[in-house]
Amino acid sequence: NDGKFTVQIEDCTGCLEHIEVFTIINVLGEIVYERSNIRTPSLAIDLSTHPKGIYFVKFILPATPIQVGAGQKSSDQERVIIKKIIID
């Protein structure tokens, strides 16, 4: 891709309602793009001014209740999704 793309999350309960943090990181670990509190089902991204190469897209989604064991309290755990993209 040329650095311009749209990110859309589908079929993920609660994902379309709110993405807490959306980050794009280069191979050196530098954050090249970041947005918080996204409340839209799709997000247009333009990295065409950044060098060609491999980048990682990281989504942090809202915490969801998780049962930790019989007789124990439930715990909230963030969901993190990381995907690789290549700009060429």
Side-chain angles (χ1 to χ4, degrees):
N1 102 28
D2 64 357
K4 295 180 183 181
F5 55 96
T6 300
V7 174
Q8 186 166 355
I9 300 178
E10 299 175 353
D11 300 326
C12 178
T13 304
C15 296
L16 296 178
E17 298 167 10
H18 181 206
I19 297 172
E20 288 186 6
V21 181
F22 174 84
T23 308
I24 300 177
I25 304 162
N26 66 19
V27 292
L28 300 175
E30 301 166 331
I31 295 173
V32 298
Y33 182 92
E34 187 168 64
R35 276 193 56 192
S36 301
N37 295 316
I38 300 167
R39 298 184 183 276
T40 181
S42 63
L43 185 59
I45 305 294
D46 183 356
L47 296 181
S48 60
T49 61
H50 292 277
K52 296 177 182 181
I54 298 172
Y55 292 82
F56 298 94
V57 177
K58 179 179 175 183
F59 302 88
I60 299 178
L61 305 170
T64 55
I66 295 174
Q67 187 67 32
V68 285
Q72 296 179 356
K73 296 179 181 177
S74 64
S75 171
D76 288 341
Q77 181 176 347
E78 291 179 331
R79 293 174 286 169
V80 178
I81 300 170
I82 299 174
K83 298 289 182 181
K84 178 177 72 172
I85 58 172
I86 299 172
I87 298 176
D88 53 10

